[in-house]
Amino acid sequence: MTKNKLVLYNSIKKKKEVFEPLNPPFVGLYVCGPTVYGDPHLGHVRPAITYDVLFRYLKYLNYRVRYVRNITDVGHLERDSDDGEDKILKKAIIEQLEPMEVAQYYTNSYKYQISKFNVLPPSIEPQASGHIIEQQQMIGQILKNGYAYLKNGSVYFDVEEYNKKYNYGKLSGRKIDELLSNTRELEGQDEKKNSFDFALWKRAEDKHIMRWPSEWGDGFPGWHLECSTMSTKYLGEVFDIHGGGMDLLFPHHECEIAQSTAANGKESVKYWMHNNMITIEGQKMGKSLGNFILLEEMFSGKHEKLEKAYSPMTIRFFMLQAHYRSTLDFSNEALQASEKGLERLLNAFQLLDNLPVSEKSSYDIETLKQRAFNALNDDLNTPVMLSHLFDAAKYINSVKAGTESINSSDLASLKEIFNDLLFDIGGLLPDKESSSTDSKLGEVMDILLNLRIAAKANKDFATADKIRDQLQAAGFIIKDKKDGFEWELKN
RNA sequence: GGUCACGUGGCCGAGUGGUUAGGCUCUGGUCUGCAAAACCAGCUACAGCGGUUCGAAUCCGCUCGUGACCUCCA
C-alpha cells in the first residue's frame, strides 16, 4: 500500500487537494456520460478512461465506490430558444425512427465500443428518460424556493435571483454582468428574464414527439437538469467527486451547481474534476467540428487520417501516456509510438516468468514502487507512473541479459507492481491481442508460417524468403520469434 | 470582444527554482541464415525579450503564437 495520500486537482478551487471522502470508506463518483445521438468517437474515450483509472485506483485503495455515469437520451436542446427540437429528436426525424429507438441504438453502440477499452462498467448507468418524475420534483423544489419562474409552459432558472444569495459562476469564474454583455442575442429569448437564464422544463410543441406530461403542461426537461437530479438521487445531496470533460465546465456544470444549490440549499460536490480534450491537428476533436474519428474507424483503420488500425489497448495506453488535464494531440506517429511502447512493457512483463534469480538484487524495487505510486497519488499522473515501469522494463531486460540481478522476493514484488499498476489500475490487458479477429485467416497464416519454419529448419531459405516476401507484398508484417512467429495485418 | 489555459529536443509528452523524465524516431552496436522484431548504447530541449535570484525551462512583466469556453459537445 502507499504511504502518501491521493491528491486531486479540484477545478472549483483551482488547486490540488488531498482527497478525503465525506463518509469513508464510501466514495460517490458522478461523471457526465454521452449524449446518445451518434456513434462514439475518440473524444468519448478520454473521460471514460480517465475516470475508469480513478474508479480502479479508488477501489485499489480500498474505498467502496459508487460510480454513476449517466446516459443522456433526452433533453439536450440544440439551441436554448428553438422550438423544442432536441438532438435526439432531430436525428429521429432524419432517420424516420422512434426517438427512443435512436437513443437505444447509440446507447448500445457506446457501451459496446467503450467496453473494448477494458473500461469497467459504472455501478449505475442511469438514463435521463427514466428520471422525468425526479426531474419534475426538482423543478418543483427550485420553483418553491423562488429560483425559477414559469413562462408559457416552460420553466426557467432565475440566475439573477440565485446570484443574490449564492454565487453563479463560482466554478467557471464567470461574472453575471460579463455574461450579460457577451451572450449572443438569440431568437425567442423574450420568454426569459435574462439571456443567461436556462430552461429547467421546456414546453413541447405539437409536433414534438418526445414529451412528458407535467403540471406545467406537456414538455421535456432542460439540458442541465438530469445530472443534478440523478447525482442527488443516487449519491445524495452532497457527494465526493464530479467528473466530466472541460468543455462541460460552462455552462453545464455551472448550471448543475446552481440547480442543486437552489433545490437543496447546499453545495453538492466536494471535488470537481475535468479531463482535457483530444485534439487533432491542434483543434479539439468534436462532433460539431466534424473532425472526429469514430471508434470503429480507429479499430479498422478505415479513415483518411489513419495510416493503420489501432487496437483499443494501444489507444488506452496512448491516453495514459498523457496527463488527463493536458490536451492530447492525435497523430499516427504518436499512436504508433504508444503501440510500440506498450509492447515493450508487455514483453518485459512476460519475461518476469522465467528470469534467473540471484541472491541479491542490483536494483531498488521498493523505491521504484514508491515513486510509481507517488506519481499516481499526484493527481493521477499516469505518464510518470508509466515512465517508472519503463525503467523497470529496462532493468528486467538487463537481468535477462545477465548484466543485472534480482532476488526472488524482488521478483515477486516486481510482478505485483506490474499487475497492480499496469493491469489492475491502468486497466490494460496483459495478453497481446490476436492479430486478426478472423480465425480462418489465422488458421491459414499458421499453415503458411509453419511451412516457412519447416523450410528454415531445412536451410531452404529460398522457400522461406519466398513465403515471407509474398506475404509482405500482400500486406502482412511477419516477425520471427525465438520459438515461432508473429504476424499482423498492415492496413 | 470577454474569460481561462498553453507554447519543452525530429514527433508525442512529464516536470514548476539547482538533479538523466519517459516513450517513439534517428544513429551505432548485439543477436538471428538474411530482413524485420527484440535487446544495448548514443542524441541534453524548454517561443522571444527583459526582470527577480548565488542559480530559472520552472517565479514576475511584456511581446509573439496556439487552443478552449462564452451555443450542443467528452
Side-chain angles (χ1 to χ4, degrees):
Chain A
M1 196 43 76
T2 55
K3 296 188 185 84
N4 288 353
K5 287 192 165 180
L6 174 60
V7 168
L8 296 173
Y9 183 86
N10 192 351
S11 303
I12 202 162
K13 300 278 184 60
K14 293 190 173 32
K15 64 177 185 188
K16 291 179 187 175
E17 293 183 329
V18 174
F19 175 66
E20 281 164 355
L22 295 158
N23 304 298
F26 301 98
V27 174
L29 169 64
Y30 187 93
V31 173
C32 292
T35 303
V36 283
Y37 67 102
D39 281 313
H41 59 77
L42 199 54
H44 289 106
V45 181
R46 188 100 195 253
I49 289 177
T50 297
Y51 300 109
D52 185 55
V53 171
L54 177 64
F55 183 37
R56 286 165 176 273
Y57 190 43
L58 289 171
K59 291 207 292 185
Y60 181 86
L61 295 174
N62 290 319
Y63 289 117
R64 292 180 58 189
V65 187
R66 181 178 291 166
Y67 175 18
V68 181
R69 187 181 64 203
N70 65 298
I71 297 282
T72 299
D73 58 352
V74 283
H76 269 217
L77 291 167
E78 197 159 43
R79 279 201 306 277
D80 205 8
S81 58
D82 68 17
D83 289 332
E85 185 179 42
D86 75 35
K87 280 201 162 156
I88 289 158
L89 175 61
K90 191 177 178 192
K91 191 88 183 176
I93 290 166
I94 292 166
E95 299 187 355
Q96 290 298 310
L97 292 168
E98 177 65 29
M100 273 303 158
E101 195 178 357
V102 176
Q104 185 68 57
Y105 176 84
Y106 289 120
T107 301
N108 293 345
S109 172
Y110 175 79
K111 288 184 182 177
Y112 174 66
Q113 299 287 15
I114 291 295
S115 72
K116 290 183 180 170
F117 293 93
N118 199 29
V119 167
L120 297 173
S123 321
I124 305 175
E125 223 168 346
Q127 292 174 257
S129 61
H131 298 76
I132 301 296
I133 290 169
E134 290 89 339
Q135 295 185 69
Q136 292 180 350
Q137 284 169 344
M138 189 172 237
I139 294 168
Q141 191 61 48
I142 296 171
L143 275 167
K144 190 178 153 199
N145 293 352
Y147 298 114
Y149 54 92
L150 179 62
K151 189 83 188 239
N152 301 333
S154 294
V155 181
Y156 293 100
F157 192 93
D158 191 336
V159 171
E160 198 168 37
E161 186 62 31
Y162 172 84
N163 201 47
K164 286 177 186 167
K165 182 166 179 188
Y166 304 104
N167 178 7
Y168 183 81
K170 67 182 299 181
L171 176 65
S172 60
R174 283 178 165 74
K175 301 272 183 292
I176 190 167
D177 41 336
E178 287 170 2
L179 285 169
L180 199 55
S181 58
N182 286 316
T183 306
R184 223 195 294 169
E185 275 303 314
L186 297 170
E187 286 172 48
Q189 282 204 332
D190 40 321
E191 268 191 12
K192 298 194 286 186
K193 284 196 208 167
N194 284 300
S195 58
F196 44 66
D197 289 347
F198 53 93
L200 297 172
W201 187 261
K202 193 78 182 159
R203 181 191 68 251
E205 303 297 330
D206 288 345
K207 61 181 180 184
H208 200 102
I209 317 169
M210 256 193 170
R211 60 199 299 145
W212 290 266
S214 80
E215 59 185 280
W216 316 289
D218 280 9
F220 51 96
W223 31 298
H224 308 300
L225 193 61
E226 57 175 284
C227 289
S228 291
T229 301
M230 297 192 289
S231 62
T232 303
K233 172 161 181 169
Y234 296 113
L235 299 174
E237 291 184 358
V238 183
F239 60 97
D240 297 293
I241 306 172
H242 191 311
M246 272 185 189
D247 49 349
L248 296 177
L249 200 142
F250 188 88
H252 183 60
H253 292 154
E254 197 69 67
C255 294
E256 267 191 60
I257 292 174
Q259 288 166 159
S260 295
T261 308
N264 305 324
K266 52 191 150 189
E267 192 82 2
S268 55
V269 175
K270 191 170 180 192
Y271 303 94
W272 280 94
M273 291 177 69
H274 290 93
N275 62 278
N276 216 319
M277 303 290 106
I278 300 283
T279 58
I280 182 162
E281 282 149 10
Q283 270 201 320
K284 173 182 162 181
M285 185 183 287
K287 184 104 181 158
S288 50
L289 288 166
N291 61 349
F292 58 93
I293 303 176
L294 296 180
L295 294 181
E296 59 180 73
E297 291 169 338
M298 291 298 300
F299 303 152
S300 70
K302 292 191 174 68
H303 187 282
E304 57 171 4
K305 299 255 189 237
L306 299 176
E307 286 169 10
K308 65 188 283 294
Y310 298 99
S311 75
M313 284 307 115
T314 296
I315 296 165
R316 182 167 184 128
F317 190 71
F318 172 62
M319 302 223 174
L320 295 181
Q321 277 193 294
H323 191 263
Y324 75 90
R325 284 193 290 115
S326 300
T327 55
L328 175 57
D329 198 49
F330 163 89
S331 71
N332 283 284
E333 213 176 350
L335 254 321
Q336 282 162 34
S338 291
E339 188 172 47
K340 291 190 176 173
L342 175 59
E343 190 171 350
R344 183 177 164 86
L345 285 185
L346 293 180
N347 282 340
F349 175 70
Q350 283 178 355
L351 281 180
L352 287 173
D353 280 331
N354 51 40
L355 223 46
V357 176
S358 308
E359 287 286 304
K360 283 185 174 175
S361 288
S362 55
Y363 200 80
D364 187 351
I365 301 294
E366 199 47 45
T367 299
L368 176 97
K369 179 180 176 180
Q370 200 52 54
R371 284 180 177 162
F373 274 100
N374 285 348
L376 267 186
N377 284 331
D378 183 15
D379 195 28
L380 301 179
N381 197 330
T382 51
V384 168
M385 182 270 276
L386 289 174
S387 79
H388 292 299
L389 290 186
F390 277 110
D391 288 343
K394 182 169 281 190
Y395 169 58
I396 291 165
N397 289 331
S398 298
V399 172
K400 169 83 174 172
T403 57
E404 299 274 0
S405 61
I406 191 166
N407 67 30
S408 58
S409 73
D410 276 352
L411 181 61
S413 176
L414 205 47
K415 277 186 196 173
E416 190 183 293
I417 290 169
F418 267 76
N419 264 313
D420 289 353
L421 290 173
L422 207 51
F423 309 129
D424 193 16
I425 298 167
L428 293 155
L429 294 169
D431 310 313
K432 299 205 191 131
E433 283 128 42
S434 62
S435 302
S436 172
T437 49
D438 184 344
S439 61
K440 283 293 174 199
L441 180 60
E443 284 176 36
V444 173
M445 289 300 285
D446 283 353
I447 293 168
L448 284 168
L449 291 172
N450 278 320
L451 276 174
R452 178 161 180 272
I453 293 218
K456 276 169 63 177
N458 292 329
K459 307 256 182 225
D460 179 5
F461 299 120
T463 304
D465 288 353
K466 194 174 174 188
I467 293 172
R468 182 179 65 197
D469 292 347
Q470 293 193 354
L471 281 173
Q472 278 174 346
F476 293 90
I477 299 165
I478 309 301
K479 298 172 190 172
D480 289 353
K481 293 279 167 177
K482 296 170 290 291
D483 46 356
F485 51 79
E486 218 173 68
W487 64 273
E488 67 178 294
L489 197 51
K490 206 161 96 186
N491 206 56

